[in-house]
């Protein structure tokens, strides 16, 4: 599947990076960094979910309770709470994230993880769906592609080190919905 000379980069912040590149149909290539053998200190990595809230706000309380239950059930996910009414580094970080993501006048609760931000009402089903999405790595592969086979082997090696993430593979040859989704993603980015 040619991508008209477009470089695609999927970056999983603070954990692992895979760079998928397709320069054109004649010279496709795929670059991987070989995973290093884990040491005892970093054998399993975690993801951090940050919740920016107001202690006296009902939606913040609901979001806190929902995320606490989620973290108990999910491996290697750490939850950090930040009170945006408290002056200092917590408030500055919150304001910096809002500027970075160009979010104007967001009211807590706000969730940040893996390079994504979510302004929420504290509605449990939607909050959980979005946080699950933040912690999911989607890989688009093609049957018979040697580069895709290498990517699958690489992901199989690193998966045990990142139990906080769900890894989902989409075969763009056999699944038209996955192919359409990949096309939309490449057009968007």
């Amino acid at each position: 599947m040619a991508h008209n000379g477009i470089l695609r980069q999927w970056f999983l912040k603070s954990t692992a990076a895979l760079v998928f590149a397709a320069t054109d149909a004649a010279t496709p290539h795929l670059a991987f960094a070989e995973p290093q053998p884990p040491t005892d200190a970093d054998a399993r990595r975690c993801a951090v979910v940050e919740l920016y809230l107001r202690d006296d706000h009902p939606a913040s309380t609901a979001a806190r309770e929902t995320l606490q239950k989620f973290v108990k059930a999910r491996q290697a996910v750490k939850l950090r709470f930040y009170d945006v009414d408290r002056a200092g580094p917590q408030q500055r970080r919150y304001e910096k994230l809002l500027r970075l993501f160009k979010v104007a006048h967001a009211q807590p609760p706000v969730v940040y993880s893996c390079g994504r931000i979510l302004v929420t009402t504290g509605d449990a089903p939607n909050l959980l769906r979005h946080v699950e999405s933040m912690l999911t790595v989607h890989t688009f592969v093609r049957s018979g592609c040697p580069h895709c086979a290498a990517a699958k082997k690489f992901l199989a090696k690193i998966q045990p080190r990142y139990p906080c993430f769900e890894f989902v593979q989409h075969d763009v040859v056999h699944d038209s919905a996955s192919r359409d989704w990949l096309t939309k993603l490449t057009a968007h980015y």
Side-chain angles (χ1 to χ4, degrees):
M1 197 178 205
H3 294 288
N4 303 323
I6 300 171
L7 175 67
R8 297 289 170 228
Q9 183 177 16
W10 301 90
F11 185 71
L12 187 58
K13 275 201 176 195
S14 75
T15 54
L18 299 176
V19 178
F20 293 85
T23 54
D24 60 37
T27 60
H29 63 279
L30 182 60
F32 293 106
E34 189 62 33
Q36 300 298 316
T39 64
D40 289 339
D42 69 348
R44 291 180 54 214
R45 307 272 175 105
C46 70
V48 176
V49 176
E50 299 175 5
L51 176 61
Y52 294 86
L53 50 81
R54 288 203 162 95
D55 282 334
D56 60 345
H57 193 265
S60 291
T61 304
R64 176 190 288 240
E65 291 169 0
T66 299
L67 288 176
Q68 283 174 324
K69 288 177 189 172
F70 171 79
V71 167
K72 276 186 177 181
R74 186 82 176 240
Q75 288 185 33
V77 177
K78 292 184 179 178
L79 184 58
R80 295 196 179 135
F81 303 105
Y82 298 101
D83 184 351
V84 298
D85 291 330
R86 190 175 292 169
Q90 295 182 7
Q91 189 179 45
R92 286 192 300 274
R93 178 161 171 77
Y94 176 67
E95 291 166 356
K96 184 178 177 181
L97 284 170
L98 293 181
R99 281 192 309 273
L100 177 69
F101 287 96
K102 298 178 178 143
V103 177
H105 310 294
Q107 293 298 312
V110 172
V111 178
Y112 172 76
S113 184
C114 299
R116 293 174 58 191
I117 195 165
L118 170 66
V119 179
T120 180
T121 60
D123 174 38
N126 284 329
L127 176 60
L128 289 176
R129 184 171 49 86
H130 287 292
V131 172
E132 285 278 348
S133 172
M134 290 176 170
L135 300 175
T136 302
V137 177
H138 295 275
T139 309
F140 297 90
V141 296
R142 183 173 50 108
S143 299
C145 169
H147 304 295
C148 297
K152 289 178 187 179
K153 286 172 91 173
F154 176 79
L155 289 170
K157 285 182 183 177
I158 68 167
Q159 250 177 319
R161 288 183 64 193
Y162 299 95
C164 51
F165 294 101
E166 179 184 353
F167 291 83
V168 179
Q169 291 184 6
H170 303 277
D171 190 324
V172 296
V173 172
H174 295 102
D175 184 5
S176 62
S178 293
R179 185 173 45 253
D180 293 344
W181 187 22
L182 178 61
T183 303
K184 287 177 185 175
L185 284 172
T186 57
H188 186 264
Y189 295 100

